[in-house]
Amino acid sequence: MNYEEMIKLAEEASKQAYAPYSKFSVGACVLADSGNVYTGCNFENSSFGMAICAERNAIGTAIANGERKINAVAIFSPNMLNCTPCGACRQVMNEFKSDNGLDIIVKGEEGIKIYTIEELLPESFNL
Ligand code: THU
């Protein structure tokens, strides 16, 4: 699956977002080493701090399906161009980066933009 297709799946997933408090919808699409893709959306709670980001939702689904290595994560929000992941999601992506690294794909003003996890999370913490 190419990165353009992944952004389209992330856009589809964003339509399922449950974001009545922030009104900020996000969808994510994860490409695992197996070649399988998994999607997720953000979902919020009346206890605001319990919101789960789209990226961690999609990664959780990948993990629940037996994946341990992730090659790429595409992110789309209808509310923001260049919607890069929050710090918590960057740390979670870092945990499951593939041996070839992990690309983060967002939709910019002039098409897709590709970042590496090293660019978005330099000097990362690893055990
Ligand atoms: N959100 C995501 O789903 N992913 C991000 O990378 C940034 C933030 C969600 C969390 C919350 O539901 C809403 O966007 C506003 O912060």
Side-chain angles (χ1 to χ4, degrees):
M1 165 141 335
N2 70 39
Y3 288 171
E4 295 278 359
E5 290 170 323
M6 287 179 66
I7 283 285
K8 286 220 170 68
L9 288 181
E11 182 173 3
E12 277 309 302
S14 74
K15 294 175 184 164
Q16 304 298 340
Y18 176 74
Y21 306 105
S22 72
K23 313 249 191 277
F24 191 88
S25 299
V26 186
C29 177
V30 164
L31 174 65
D33 243 10
S34 63
N36 292 336
V37 292
Y38 304 91
T39 60
C41 60
N42 59 326
F43 61 100
E44 300 181 344
N45 193 276
S46 55
S47 177
F48 296 163
M50 293 176 70
I52 302 289
C53 293
E55 298 91 320
R56 275 176 292 151
N57 188 8
I59 291 168
T61 300
I63 297 304
N65 280 277
E67 308 289 359
R68 291 295 182 268
K69 303 269 187 188
I70 291 172
N71 288 290
V73 181
I75 306 158
F76 180 89
S77 171
N79 306 108
M80 184 189 277
L81 280 172
N82 213 39
C83 184
T84 50
C86 78
C89 289
R90 292 177 196 203
Q91 182 67 23
V92 171
M93 289 175 196
N94 184 63
E95 183 76 21
F96 298 110
K97 65 188 169 202
S98 80
D99 299 339
N100 299 320
L102 186 153
D103 285 342
I104 294 153
I105 304 125
V106 299
K107 183 146 183 196
E109 215 157 315
E110 290 144 25
I112 64 168
K113 279 186 78 171
I114 303 167
Y115 300 94
T116 64
I117 187 68
E118 281 78 19
E119 283 178 298
L120 296 192
L121 193 71
E123 306 295 339
S124 64
F125 176 78
N126 300 275
L127 288 178

